[in-house]
Amino acid sequence: MYEFHGWATIQENPAEIDAGQLDAIIQKIQLKITEFAWGSGLLSLNAANGSYYLHVGGFTNRKGVEADEVVSLYQLIGEIAPGSYGLLYTRDDENTEGFDNEFRVSVLARGRLQEQHDPFLSPCIPVIEDELD
């Protein structure tokens, strides 16, 4: 199973100064989202109190198109709105690189998306799950 949960606050730049491009940035993000054909899961871009935020989440049987699309969305946000920040937690129990028992955290900050180790819920067994009998 592939699991993902994330959020991001959309800001033009790290100084939080409105350079007048936020509406165009939001339109680019919305356009990118319309390219996705997700059958299930959460993918929403919302506004509250003059700020925009993204929420993503879901479970798929296997790591598939949604995984690549959500990462590309976070990368796009970093490129066009380098003041944006957020987290994307992923778990792939079929990972062949030794990460099948842990969450990976992609951290969006200052225009870059960097994968990090998760210190809170990993290793999944025994932190959040029991060993199978």
Side-chain angles (χ1 to χ4, degrees):
M1 173 151 350
Y2 183 77
E3 176 179 357
F4 62 99
H5 307 279
W7 62 270
T9 297
I10 313 302
Q11 291 185 173
E12 283 184 69
N13 58 63
E16 293 188 57
I17 297 169
D18 182 358
Q21 298 301 311
L22 188 58
D23 289 340
I25 289 168
I26 295 304
Q27 288 178 357
K28 287 179 184 177
I29 295 169
Q30 288 171 328
L31 181 61
K32 184 70 169 176
I33 289 171
T34 63
E35 295 173 3
F36 302 157
W38 291 14
S40 63
L42 169 69
L43 177 57
S44 66
L45 180 64
N46 301 292
N49 198 27
S51 297
Y52 285 88
Y53 61 95
L54 174 79
H55 278 149
V56 298
F59 295 87
T60 59
N61 193 32
R62 295 205 173 2
K63 184 177 179 179
V65 172
E66 294 92 346
D68 293 333
E69 290 177 339
V70 74
V71 168
S72 72
L73 180 59
Y74 271 71
Q75 289 170 332
L76 172 70
I77 291 169
E79 290 169 13
I80 65 175
S84 300
Y85 56 90
L87 300 173
L88 175 62
Y89 270 72
T90 61
R91 179 181 180 195
D92 181 3
D93 67 0
E94 295 179 350
N95 181 285
T96 58
E97 298 172 6
F99 301 124
D100 58 317
N101 189 36
E102 66 183 75
F103 278 92
R104 300 298 290 166
V105 184
S106 295
V107 179
L108 175 64
R110 295 191 170 268
R112 296 185 347 194
L113 187 63
Q114 295 182 310
E115 191 172 83
Q116 304 286 325
H117 170 75
D118 164 54
F120 303 108
L121 300 173
S122 301
C124 297
I125 299 171
V127 174
I128 60 173
E129 296 175 345
D130 290 335
E131 227 14 277
L132 293 176
D133 292 332

